[in-house]
Amino acid sequence: MTTDTVQDLETALDTRFPDVVDRGATGAIVRSPGRVNLIGEHTDYNEGLVMPAAIDREIRVAWVPTDDRRVEIELLATGERAGFDLDAIRPAGGAWIDYVAGVAWALSVAGVETHGFRAVLASDLPAGAGLSSSAALELAAAWALSNGRPSMPPMDLARLAQRAENEYVGVRCGLMDQFSVVHGIAGSALRLDCRSLDWRPVRLPAGLALVVCHSGARHSLAGSAYNDRRADCERAVAQIADREGDAIRSLRDVDDAMLERNRDRLDDTAYRRARHIVDENARVMATEHAFETDDLNAIGRLFAASHASLRDLYEVSSDALDSLVEIASGVDGVVAARLTGAGFAGCTVNLVHPWAVAAFRAAVEREHPRRTGLTPLVLEVEATDGVGLATGQPNGAEPDR
Ligand code: GLA
């Protein structure tokens, strides 16, 4: 974030909440990035493997603490203001402030002290685009509510934000998004094992640009389709455990051979969901190796296979996402393309030779509206550090690795 942006936010806070600011309490500015998942889709809630990266599109919240137990935030883009009382948190109402109230609720359940605050929020991270604007907001909220870096290990903080989304907002998401926002590392993807929670940075392939294409169709995870997929996977586990025994607790415990010998016990939907998860975990491991060896052909094949599986077996793609991947496959210099995030709408992730980025952008902007009637948004992004104060140390936290 530039010094200009920091000053703009401080000025905006001063004009929007002059009474509070005048009392002289010191706040700060937190920057909280979005994420793009390179590969490993819908595997997180199946205790599998994921490989996301935090990106340099972020939410920025400038806050000043108050002692009135009241939280109020103004969105600078629209002037919309929302808030709640920390001692009277109501059930989620279907608005963006839910993510803040959810974190306040989760902090208090965990016995962590929270503070009231007034804040302004600026963002260059598209909302509802599948780039984890929700997780970015949750983590920014955790900082403002704690008036600084929350005093708990980073992984615990990620899990606390996930809990807010699971239990307060009502989306049964996995840990990937909150993990990425907390642990991001500039220049790297992060390979997380969602069972052991072991993770490590994975260098992105040398010399390739990371390009995100937003299809122009927004998505809402609060819709039932995401939770339905999770229920399909749980059913597959139950049907397999029926024969194989209780040691089978998640699809992480199921390998290729076990899945095939239990095929007759699974309904068709459960089989296809499980097939995707088993294969996708293998693709994460293969992609990690391909990144390390700069094997661009393998990366292209793995991304294509992931997209096809999400489209045909997991059924979370859409005409708009398929259109973007098809356009990408026709442009010289695009190495790999697939849908990223939950799917249904949202974005694709692409690895592109730098010399081909302009041609790729032009092809998407020309062909996508013609095919779908939607206006795409092409963003060249960089992998970046996780949530932290805009001033001071990157991450504002000791890494837990
Ligand atoms: C959303 C969820 C994540 C993950 C992805 C799909 O982003 O929040 O936990 O399940 O979908 O990979």
Side-chain angles (χ1 to χ4, degrees):
M1 198 190 306
T2 63
T3 320
D4 279 0
T5 326
V6 169
Q7 273 164 2
D8 288 352
L9 277 170
E10 281 167 353
T11 310
L13 188 59
D14 207 358
T15 15
R16 301 317 197 276
F17 297 103
D19 301 352
V20 179
V21 173
D22 284 352
R23 264 178 246 143
T26 328
I29 302 177
V30 60
R31 44 161 293 280
S32 192
R35 68 94 189 89
V36 68
N37 189 20
L38 276 304
I39 198 158
E41 221 63 84
H42 289 274
T43 43
D44 61 352
Y45 52 83
N46 287 296
E47 296 192 322
L49 306 173
V50 294
M51 204 162 75
I55 56 172
D56 58 350
R57 289 285 181 139
E58 61 192 24
I59 283 176
R60 298 172 291 267
V61 171
W63 83 85
V64 60
T66 58
D67 49 20
D68 59 0
R69 307 285 296 152
R70 171 109 194 126
V71 167
E72 270 181 39
I73 305 178
E74 181 169 320
L75 305 183
L76 287 184
T78 59
E80 183 190 345
R81 204 178 269 199
F84 59 91
D85 288 320
L86 285 169
D87 296 326
I89 298 177
R90 299 212 189 95
W96 57 269
I97 196 71
D98 290 349
Y99 296 98
V100 182
V103 171
W105 167 82
L107 283 166
S108 74
V109 170
V112 179
E113 196 190 352
T114 53
H115 304 269
F117 65 85
R118 302 293 183 277
V120 292
L121 183 155
S123 173
D124 63 3
L125 176 63
L131 298 175
S132 286
S133 55
S134 314
L137 178 55
E138 287 155 15
L139 272 308
W143 282 65
L145 287 160
S146 311
N147 193 27
R149 180 187 163 212
S151 57
M152 64 180 77
M155 195 63 90
D156 290 359
L157 180 60
R159 288 167 61 127
L160 184 137
Q162 180 199 14
R163 180 169 188 202
E165 192 151 343
N166 288 174
E167 294 180 34
Y168 180 84
V169 180
V171 177
R172 299 181 65 208
C173 64
L175 185 61
M176 173 172 75
D177 302 349
Q178 293 80 8
F179 161 79
S180 317
V181 175
V182 172
H183 291 86
I185 296 180
S188 287
L190 316 166
R191 209 279 253 143
L192 171 69
D193 179 328
C194 298
R195 167 167 276 177
S196 65
L197 301 186
D198 285 345
W199 67 279
R200 65 187 196 85
V202 178
R203 179 184 58 77
L204 288 164
L208 291 185
L210 186 55
V211 181
V212 170
C213 295
H214 180 19
S215 62
R218 288 163 60 89
H219 82 156
S220 159
L221 272 194
S224 63
Y226 182 89
N227 287 351
D228 288 350
R229 293 301 178 284
R230 195 162 171 157
D232 292 341
C233 293
E234 286 165 1
R235 199 170 67 253
V237 171
Q239 289 166 347
I240 294 171
D242 230 18
R243 178 184 286 158
E244 302 286 340
D246 289 347
I248 308 303
R249 295 195 329 272
S250 76
L251 287 176
R252 183 64 183 279
D253 297 313
V254 176
D255 62 13
D256 209 50
M258 188 187 290
L259 179 59
E260 287 312 315
R261 77 172 170 265
N262 284 283
R263 187 170 183 163
D264 58 327
R265 301 181 77 83
L266 297 179
D267 62 82
D268 183 53
T269 303
Y271 171 76
R272 284 182 295 121
R273 306 300 189 240
R275 181 80 260 167
H276 165 77
I277 298 300
V278 171
D279 294 347
E280 187 77 352
N281 281 328
R283 280 190 286 267
V284 176
M285 289 191 282
T287 303
E288 186 179 1
H289 179 69
F291 275 20
E292 281 162 356
T293 53
D294 289 320
D295 184 345
L296 304 193
N297 288 333
I299 297 170
R301 278 197 307 276
L302 289 158
F303 272 42
S306 173
H307 184 81
S309 176
L310 288 159
R311 182 189 61 211
D312 301 336
L313 299 177
Y314 219 71
E315 296 177 289
V316 292
S317 191
S318 65
D319 290 347
L321 292 167
D322 293 345
S323 152
L324 288 173
V325 168
E326 280 161 29
I327 294 167
S329 71
V331 178
D332 231 20
V334 177
V335 170
R338 56 178 289 277
L339 77 79
T340 185
F344 309 112
C347 293
T348 61
V349 57
N350 307 267
L351 291 167
V352 183
H353 285 291
W355 49 262
V357 172
F360 179 40
R361 180 188 296 277
V364 169
E365 288 174 353
R366 186 178 61 243
E367 287 178 42
H368 189 68
R370 193 171 51 70
R371 285 169 175 242
T372 62
L374 295 166
T375 308
L377 177 66
V378 179
L379 304 171
E380 191 174 344
V381 300
E382 307 251 344
T384 188
D385 285 327
V387 59
L389 288 182
T391 44
Q393 290 294 102
N395 271 334
E398 296 302 316
D400 66 339
R401 63 193 129 95

